[in-house]
Amino acid sequence: WMRRCWSKNSLFNAMNRFIGAVNNMDQTVMVPSLLRDVPLEEDREMMGSLKSDDDEEGDMYSYYQLLKSIRRDIEWGVRCAAADERLKEGMKITQEEDEDLKAQFQYHLTGLQGVLSKLTVQANSLTKRYKKEIGIGGWGQ
């Protein structure tokens, strides 16, 4: 038999934690429009690294939408014709590039895990902030 053992620092677990936090946020935020125009002052330090294309300053609603969009990209993948074409071209790998693939993978994996951890904290922060805004701060988690 085979025993599965997932490290708490694995990419799989980082993605699951993020998706779980966004799912919790999505289930908690019953009226997303209440997040419109809610300023980020209290969460500026935590939320500052997220940028919205639509709004330079941003509000809690723009971050809510952005976190959901990132979850969708993780669950369904990011596809576009240009990326597919680059991928086909990228399959032609030289020997030197092949030797460096492991190092590249580890570099990007480490970065991705770090970003997912920060996004998870931000999704949890948005959930708590929403509860505070609508006066249910003591309910649930």
Side-chain angles (χ1 to χ4, degrees), residues 53-104:
D53 294 337
D54 304 327
D55 190 348
E56 277 188 34
E57 283 300 308
D59 58 10
M60 295 299 284
Y61 182 78
S62 63
Y63 289 119
Y64 171 81
Q65 292 296 339
L66 183 58
L67 289 164
K68 285 182 56 172
S69 173
I70 292 169
R71 177 190 60 187
R72 189 171 41 252
D73 288 346
I74 289 173
E75 291 177 332
W76 297 100
V78 180
R79 295 187 49 87
C80 79
D84 285 346
E85 195 56 40
R86 284 194 305 271
L87 181 61
K88 287 177 190 172
E89 289 299 313
M91 297 308 262
K92 302 167 187 165
I93 298 171
T94 67
Q95 182 64 30
E96 185 179 322
E97 290 171 332
D98 190 42
E99 291 170 5
D100 194 40
L101 286 177
K102 182 178 179 184
Q104 289 177 29

Side-chain angles (χ1 to χ4, degrees), residues 101-128:
L101 286 177
K102 182 178 179 184
Q104 289 177 29
F105 174 76
Q106 289 173 340
Y107 172 80
H108 290 294
L109 180 63
T110 300
L112 181 57
Q113 287 174 317
V115 168
L116 283 168
S117 293
K118 290 175 185 176
L119 289 170
T120 300
V121 168
Q122 292 171 339
N124 289 332
S125 175
L126 189 145
T127 302
K128 288 176 189 172

